[in-house]
Structures are given as C-alpha cells and as structure tokens.
Amino acid sequence: MEIQSVGVVGAGQMGNGIAHVMALAGYDVMMTDISADALDAAMKTITGNLDRQVSREKITADERNNALDRIASTTTLSDLGQCDLIIESATERETVKQAIFEDLLPHLTPETILTSNTSSISITRLASRTDRPEKFMGFHFMNPVPVMPLVELIRGIATDEPTFKACKAVVDKLGKTAATAEDFPAFIVNRILMPMINEAVYTLYEGVGNVESIDKAMKLGTNHPMGPLELADFIGLDTCLAIMNVLHDGLADTKYRPCPLLTKYVEAGWLGRKSQRGFYDYRGDVPVPTR
C-alpha cells in the first residue's frame, strides 16, 4: 500500500521530530498527546526547527509553510484511526504502549500499519497484543529526528513483507537511511550504545574519572562529538536506565547490569537536560558537572 497519512502518538522530543520530518516529506500528519499543552509546545518546537532550516537554506519558506499546513493535532486518540500508518512514540514503558494500541484498535481501518518508535522493547510482544501482528513493526528514529539520517526498521516474528516494504518506502521518501534489525533487546544502535554509556557511569561511580574528564577523554581520545555522560543527559537518564533494564532482563547477562549510580540519579529525578539536572547541572548559563 502507498502511505499518504501518518498518525503520531506522543508530542514529546521524538514525536514532534517525527511529525516534522513526515510533514516536510509530504505526508498528512495527525499528532496526538494526552496533554493539550504538550501539543502546543510541540507545534512551537516544530515551527522553530523549520524556521531554523529556512534560515540555513535547507528548505524554502514555502516548504516550511506547506509542512505546517499538513500537521493537525488532537487529544483524542481515536482521531488517528483513519491514518495509513501510525507511529507510537510514547514513553519507554511497555504497559503504556500496550494500552495505547489496545485503545486504537477499534478505530483502525483494516489496512492501517501500526509501528512503535521503541528503542528497546520487543516488537513481537507488542504486536501480539494487537489484531494485526503481520502489519506491525518497529520504526525507530534517532534523536534529534530532523538531523539524524538513520532509521532502524525492526520486523517482529509475524511482520509480513508488504508491511516492511511500505515502511521502507517511507524511510526512503524522508531522505533517510534504513538499517534492518532483528527483534532482540535494544536492536542495533542501543545494544551497542547503552552499554558504553553504562560503562561510563561505572567509570564515574568507581572514581576512575570525574564527569568532565570522562567526557573529555572520549571526545578527544575517540573523536566522539559528545561525551557519553553528556549524551546520556541529552537522551534522558530514565530512558538510558529503561533500556539497560530491558537488556539485562532480556539477555540475562551481568554485563548489562545498570550502574547503581545511574539508578540513583533517576531516583533523584535528575534525568538530564529535560529536568535541568543530570550528570551536568543546566540551570545556569553554562552546564556544570554534578560530580
């Protein structure tokens, strides 16, 4: 089938980025969130990011205006029912995602493809809770969505070939590159990235280096654009911990045990940039290491 309309569930950092790139590529987008304030904030973010692209001559003013015209928003989940493709981008908790899909099912057309932007949760298990496991797959964007060129496409055990091809065609139309991953915990990117971040937290926890020295060492010693602790703050420490728990539970290997210090930061509500404190304190003009 040819995808023409896209529903995005969740208007947070990932959801608004997905709506942005979909609308810019010519898709009609319906974005939903339980919070009207979150939808308003998302539209402001999308507008600001599109304006930045215009100022940098990445897109034209007409392209920006057309993209904004293609985005509608709603707090009513069932309004997404007529979309050809739905991308769930809610919080990284399986119970939340299952509830969203269960609420959506009565309102979908028979052809609607369901996908999740999950960064780690089993696609096969999510699909099994729906009435269309063959039309369900993982559609994992990288953050920030308008900038990062990769999308992980993850087939569940029941995903059929037409569904994969339809999603691959969407990725191509976005001008991004698809990497096909098998449905194992955390897929490709986070299977490799999160243990590195977790090991950086262990390095901090054990006193091998402080926040500044660890990040400086990885940026200058391995040419990473961001240090692992800075990157963890950008991603969200709660998301990092959730993915490490999925790896630890799903693969039963102690090498994936989340660092106790990561758990402690999350318990404190120090989640990184989104809460103004994590491995850095962002409440001033310049981020200051917290350890």
Side-chain angles (χ1 to χ4, degrees):
M1 66 177 293
E2 183 182 353
I3 306 296
Q4 294 182 325
S5 57
V6 179
V8 179
V9 182
Q13 189 174 30
M14 296 300 291
N16 72 60
I18 294 168
H20 171 150
V21 298
M22 288 291 177
L24 198 55
Y27 295 104
D28 293 324
V29 177
M30 178 69 75
M31 180 170 55
T32 187
D33 198 281
I34 57 174
S35 165
D37 289 343
L39 289 169
D40 290 341
M43 288 308 303
K44 288 179 182 176
T45 298
I46 292 168
T47 302
N49 288 338
L50 286 168
D51 286 344
R52 190 175 299 112
Q53 287 180 300
V54 172
S55 69
R56 293 176 179 174
E57 299 184 346
K58 301 286 187 183
I59 62 173
T60 67
D62 284 345
E63 287 173 325
R64 174 198 59 198
N65 296 337
N66 290 337
L68 288 171
D69 288 343
R70 292 188 191 103
I71 303 174
S73 63
T74 178
T75 56
T76 304
L77 185 64
S78 59
D79 288 348
L80 273 61
Q82 297 304 303
C83 293
D84 300 325
L85 168 68
I86 292 177
I87 303 173
E88 171 275 316
S89 187
T91 187
E92 192 69 358
R93 293 215 311 271
E94 188 165 350
T95 54
V96 172
K97 295 178 185 296
Q98 287 175 345
I100 287 168
F101 289 124
E102 286 169 8
D103 288 346
L104 271 171
L105 290 180
H107 308 286
L108 302 179
T109 72
E111 294 78 25
T112 299
I113 294 173
L114 291 176
T115 68
S116 177
N117 183 53
T118 179
S119 51
S120 61
I121 297 169
S122 168
I123 298 302
T124 297
R125 196 163 60 237
L126 288 173
S128 72
R129 301 290 293 271
T130 75
D131 63 354
R132 61 194 69 207
E134 72 286 349
K135 290 186 175 293
F136 193 109
M137 67 181 302
F139 209 125
H140 181 216
F141 288 86
M142 305 297 118
N143 185 29
V145 179
V147 175
M148 300 296 278
L150 181 73
V151 178
E152 283 183 313
L153 291 180
I154 306 102
R155 302 179 198 236
I157 196 169
T159 306
D160 63 23
E161 189 64 18
T163 297
F164 174 81
K165 286 182 176 178
C167 290
K168 174 65 165 56
V170 171
V171 176
D172 292 342
K173 189 172 178 180
L174 295 177
K176 295 186 182 294
T177 299
T180 305
E182 294 299 317
D183 186 23
F184 291 101
F187 319 129
I188 295 172
V189 172
N190 284 315
R191 172 75 176 265
I192 297 167
L193 174 64
M194 285 302 158
M196 185 197 75
I197 288 175
N198 194 53
E199 195 61 30
V201 183
Y202 266 115
T203 305
L204 177 66
Y205 176 61
E206 294 168 2
V208 180
N210 59 24
V211 169
E212 186 176 18
S213 63
I214 292 166
D215 277 351
K216 185 185 296 180
M218 293 304 291
K219 283 193 284 189
L220 301 182
T222 62
N223 207 28
H224 288 197
M226 297 173 72
L229 301 176
E230 182 186 5
L231 179 58
D233 275 358
F234 180 74
I235 294 167
L237 303 192
D238 52 340
T239 300
C240 294
L241 179 59
I243 296 170
M244 286 309 302
N245 280 326
V246 167
L247 281 165
H248 191 233
D249 294 344
L251 298 171
D253 192 323
T254 55
K255 73 180 180 180
Y256 299 116
R257 182 171 71 97
C259 180
L261 184 61
L262 178 60
T263 302
K264 191 65 65 182
Y265 269 68
V266 173
E267 288 174 344
W270 292 20
L271 307 180
R273 286 182 176 271
K274 62 186 172 185
S275 67
Q276 295 293 295
R277 277 192 292 187
F279 293 114
Y280 293 85
D281 188 325
Y282 300 92
R283 293 174 296 176
D285 294 335
V286 178
V288 178
T290 55
R291 286 178 92 84

